[in-house]
Amino acid sequence: QKEVEQNSGPLSVPEGAIASLNCTYSDRGSQSFFWYRQYSGKSPELIMSIYSNGDKEDGRFTAQLNKASQYVSLLIRDSQPSDSATYLCAVNQYNFGNEKLTFGTGTRLTIIP
Amino acid sequence: DAGITQSPRHKVTETGTPVTLRCHQTENHRYMYWYRQDPGHGLRLIHYSYGVKDTDKGEVSDGYSVSRSKTEDFLLTLESATSSQTSVYFCAISAPGTSGSWEQFFGPGTRLTVL
């Protein structure tokens, strides 16, 4: 069974610091990787996608992928209170439209002012 | 928001009653999905659709059925609701992202309580 593992947290980070969220996956054939942010009572919002080894940066967010270690991470620089949310890691074996994502259970992040 | 709406947004029902949740999208997306989200389990795929009248099962499909008679509507039916189906239900669509790869986007969700 394909699995995606995340530390459930809560992870507490001071405002302005770097928050580091980690995710491991079991299916070595996985091709695409996503990070979603979910505020309490809201739906998941896609914030980062990554498909090849290395780093991908978008504003204060950096996704890192290491397929050999089956590991994907999300770094949030200059953390703000508005970053307090649950972050979901999702993994997909394919990337041609009809993908079926496998989600981790999420890491709850709290930014302390 | 990918033009996705879900109805109803909240529903309370009793065990044994049928329930239908609706997902409506306005952007002609081919692929649509139903997930449920429960504490400790994350998001789990119930059913998905790859076109009108084309549907298939996900990992937690027992007790659920779906229909898609129009591109814009994907219906999830609980034939006889049970308390274990109390959950938050999300609809999603798949669309090309900015890099050309496919990404999933979620609707606002339906909170269902089965008493």
Side-chain angles (χ1 to χ4, degrees), chain B:
Chain B
D1 64 356
I4 307 170
T5 57
Q6 293 184 231
S7 59
R9 295 293 313 280
H10 301 271
K11 186 171 182 66
V12 179
T13 191
E14 295 193 349
T15 297
T17 60
V19 176
T20 295
L21 308 183
R22 180 185 185 229
C23 178
H24 179 78
Q25 53 115 345
T26 59
E27 299 181 2
N28 207 36
H29 297 295
R30 178 180 176 186
Y31 302 107
M32 300 183 74
Y33 308 81
W34 276 108
Y35 291 89
R36 61 178 289 175
Q37 187 174 37
D38 306 287
H41 290 278
L43 281 156
R44 293 179 291 175
L45 182 65
I46 306 172
H47 280 279
Y48 62 97
S49 170
Y50 41 97
V52 173
K53 300 191 188 305
D54 288 326
T55 65
D56 207 345
K57 297 178 180 180
E59 66 173 298
V60 291
S61 59
D62 287 349
Y64 301 95
S65 62
V66 291
S67 65
R68 192 167 178 202
S69 59
K70 299 184 291 184
T71 298
E72 58 266 34
D73 288 325
F74 191 29
L75 304 181
L76 177 70
T77 297
L78 290 66
E79 304 290 349
S80 177
T82 68
S83 58
S84 64
Q85 294 177 310
T86 293
S87 187
V88 180
Y89 291 86
F90 289 103
C91 175
I93 61 92
S94 180
T98 54
S99 62
S101 298
W102 290 82
E103 299 171 342
Q104 283 193 17
F105 301 92
F106 286 81
T110 294
R111 183 173 296 275
L112 176 67
T113 301
V114 183
L115 301 177

Side-chain angles (χ1 to χ4, degrees), chain A residues 11-89:
Chain A
L11 176 65
S12 297
V13 173
E15 183 176 355
I18 296 175
S20 178
L21 304 163
N22 303 317
C23 172
T24 59
Y25 58 95
S26 63
D27 184 0
R28 188 170 287 277
S30 298
Q31 295 293 321
S32 48
F33 308 85
F34 307 91
W35 284 100
Y36 287 83
R37 178 177 62 198
Q38 186 174 25
Y39 294 115
S40 180
K42 302 296 185 181
S43 61
E45 173 193 8
L46 180 64
I47 56 171
M48 290 290 286
S49 57
I50 188 167
Y51 307 98
S52 54
N53 280 328
D55 295 358
K56 179 182 178 182
E57 186 175 317
D58 184 359
R60 296 186 297 110
F61 297 101
T62 299
Q64 300 175 318
L65 175 61
N66 184 326
K67 289 187 177 180
S69 299
Q70 296 175 238
Y71 175 95
V72 58
S73 65
L74 179 70
L75 302 178
I76 307 174
R77 290 182 301 281
D78 188 23
S79 297
Q80 302 296 311
S82 60
D83 295 326
S84 296
T86 296
Y87 289 80
L88 307 174
C89 174

